[in-house]
Amino acid sequence: LLNREDGDLAWDEEWTEDQIFKFRKLCISMVLATDMARHFELLGKFKARVAECDDACTDAYDPAESKDRESVLVMAIKACDIGTQGKKWKLARKWATIVQEEFFSQGDKEKMLGMLPSPLCDREAVDIVKSQIGFIDAVLFPLYEPLSKVLPELKSVLAQLEHSKSMYEQELATRRQNSREKSKTR
């Protein structure tokens, strides 16, 4: 598609080499930001910057500054990449199951190869409900809280994360109650 000669597709036709270079660099930076190995490093830098700003963060982030735009875009793409628990509950729960099954599949393959399963990939040891509560607390809240100071529209996602967490907690409580009742009847 990109190699086709089509005037309607030539979105970068008027760009200078410098503009193309900067755009490519931004895209690479954003894709690399989705690597969870760098999550806490990137988040730490972002949180430190947000800590310096007022409630609206209008004084710390200038949309006219390319470094500021890149910083916000990097955190936004991270939030999009891992933020399925910020969706409506039914969809959040479905995504948790799909992603966890992918992890379990990886763990199954690792076991078949005689390896120890990677963290969160052992279907015999991981409880998806507890795992999601931990993920929301340890990864999503710390990401969305500072990001919502810069992008206030994300406050609704924070509310949905709270709801998802409470639904998992209810699921866990129900399971525990059912287990207690089951053990009483034995």
Side-chain angles (χ1 to χ4, degrees):
L1 184 65
L2 291 176
N3 291 324
R4 264 186 23 206
E5 291 295 325
D6 186 336
D8 292 336
L9 297 176
W11 54 272
D12 64 344
E13 182 174 279
E14 302 295 321
W15 288 13
T16 66
E17 279 188 44
D18 186 53
Q19 288 170 317
I20 291 170
F21 174 79
K22 287 177 181 173
F23 179 72
R24 184 176 187 280
K25 183 180 173 205
L26 175 63
C27 290
I28 290 169
S29 176
M30 290 172 63
V31 168
L32 291 176
T34 63
D35 183 353
M36 285 303 288
R38 296 192 57 219
H39 175 79
F40 292 103
E41 167 202 343
L42 293 170
L43 181 59
K45 289 178 184 176
F46 188 76
K47 285 172 80 171
R49 183 82 185 273
V50 170
E52 299 171 3
C53 66
D54 61 17
D55 285 342
C57 270
T58 54
D59 58 336
Y61 283 93
D62 180 359
E65 291 293 322
S66 64
K67 287 271 187 210
D68 287 351
R69 282 193 313 270
E70 180 177 347
S71 177
V72 173
L73 286 170
V74 160
M75 298 315 290
I77 198 81
K78 289 189 72 46
C80 292
D81 183 46
I82 62 174
T84 59
Q85 293 307 300
K87 298 186 179 301
K88 296 289 183 193
W89 169 243
K90 187 175 178 182
L91 190 55
R93 187 63 175 91
K94 184 175 184 173
W95 268 109
T97 301
I98 291 168
V99 170
Q100 191 61 61
E101 189 52 45
E102 184 179 326
F103 288 178
F104 288 158
S105 179
Q106 176 183 327
D108 295 345
K109 288 177 185 168
E110 290 168 340
K111 283 181 181 180
M112 283 179 16
L113 295 171
M115 302 166 57
L116 288 174
S118 297
L120 303 175
C121 296
D122 188 351
R123 71 174 68 244
E124 296 168 22
V126 174
D127 181 320
I128 188 171
V129 173
K130 291 177 184 176
S131 176
Q132 289 304 305
I133 292 169
F135 184 68
I136 291 169
D137 281 341
V139 178
L140 295 179
F141 280 140
L143 171 60
Y144 276 92
E145 285 166 350
L147 190 55
S148 70
K149 287 185 177 181
V150 180
L151 302 172
E153 299 84 2
L154 293 180
K155 289 190 187 320
S156 63
V157 177
L158 279 172
Q160 188 59 47
L161 286 171
E162 287 284 358
H163 178 69
S164 291
K165 181 182 173 187
S166 74
M167 293 299 288
Y168 284 116
E169 288 169 338
Q170 284 178 359
E171 191 175 330
L172 190 58
T174 300
R175 201 169 63 197
R176 286 179 178 151
Q177 180 64 31
N178 290 343
S179 179
R180 280 192 293 273
E181 288 173 7
K182 193 176 187 178
S183 66
K184 287 179 183 178
T185 60
R186 288 185 184 170

